[in-house]
Amino acid sequence: MPDTAPLSFSISALNRATDSQAAAMMDRVVERSPWLAHRAAAARPFRDADHLAAWLATEVSHLSHDEAVLLLCAHPELSPSDPANITQASQNEQGRLRLLRPDLQLSERLSELNRRYLRHHGYPFVIALHAQTDISAVIAQFEHRLAADPDEELTCALGEVVSVMRARLAKLAGAMPTTNGAPETTFTSVTSTRGSGP
């Protein structure tokens, strides 16, 4: 078997793949975080997509603070200045709400919010766009979370990352239960049980 990622994603293919193939497959689920993709490859086999999603949620909940911030910083800000430089998955997610080419007023508003959020929390604002119906809902959450308690916001942001990963798994493996288009997920806290780096 060539040491490259299989063209199609399935849990059985993931389980059969070499370590490097499996990590490459997981790149489609996790956002530019190869260290997490390799951890998932090492944790195989998975029974099904639910098992993998549960493993990801547990793994994220046990990240150190530094790892958590690293994971969040791998995600693009909303309406990035260079949309072509973000992953295809992120382009699809932001493109659904027309965030890749917003009008001038929205672009300026998002730029301001992005700057303020990054300055306050130290990582980009992450929201599971698959669960949002329109840009007004996104802006409302952005404004609300901007002034949130840092510890509470870190947990919230990581929960959004888990929701994004579950939604990507749903699209790739077609096996995740959803409610109003949003995969069901529970994420409660972050515990610093690891070292300071991936």
Side-chain angles (χ1 to χ4, degrees):
M1 180 182 293
D3 199 24
T4 56
L7 295 178
S8 60
F9 185 103
S10 70
I11 299 302
S12 59
L14 182 71
N15 287 335
R16 293 194 309 269
T18 65
D19 287 348
S20 58
Q21 285 177 327
M25 292 176 74
M26 287 302 301
D27 280 341
R28 307 174 199 180
V29 179
V30 302
E31 182 78 13
R32 290 184 171 169
S33 300
W35 54 275
L36 182 57
H38 280 282
R39 285 185 190 174
R44 294 172 298 160
F46 297 105
R47 292 185 303 275
D48 50 31
D50 284 309
H51 184 201
L52 174 54
W55 180 89
L56 286 166
T58 299
E59 187 71 8
V60 170
S61 73
H62 286 83
L63 295 177
S64 69
H65 181 273
D66 287 351
E67 288 176 329
V69 172
L70 184 65
L71 180 62
L72 291 167
C73 285
H75 285 256
E77 63 182 16
L78 293 187
S79 188
S81 57
D82 185 7
N85 197 38
I86 66 177
T87 64
Q88 187 61 55
S90 287
Q91 288 185 42
N92 293 341
E93 290 153 3
Q94 294 209 27
R96 184 179 70 84
L97 294 181
R98 300 181 181 177
L99 286 167
L100 299 181
R101 291 179 177 80
D103 61 40
L104 181 59
Q105 183 177 7
L106 178 58
S107 177
E108 291 177 345
R109 180 65 176 137
L110 288 171
S111 292
E112 176 199 3
L113 290 170
N114 282 326
R115 285 193 300 271
R116 290 171 57 197
Y117 186 95
L118 182 61
R119 184 169 60 247
H120 187 66
H121 292 294
Y123 48 82
F125 175 73
V126 179
I127 186 168
L129 292 173
H130 69 94
Q132 303 303 314
T133 55
D134 55 48
I135 191 60
S136 296
V138 173
I139 295 294
Q141 287 205 43
F142 209 153
E143 293 173 338
H144 174 72
R145 289 171 52 191
L146 180 61
D149 172 81
D151 290 339
E152 292 179 0
E153 179 57 18
L154 182 65
T155 296
C156 178
L158 290 173
E160 295 294 314
V161 169
V162 169
S163 185
V164 168
M165 292 190 292
R166 287 182 64 92
R168 291 179 181 180
L169 270 175
K171 187 172 183 179
L172 290 166
M176 307 300 293
T178 61
T179 302
N180 295 328
E184 298 171 359
T185 186
T186 301
F187 191 88
T188 55
S189 64
V190 181
T191 56
S192 299
T193 59
R194 296 188 185 276
S196 61

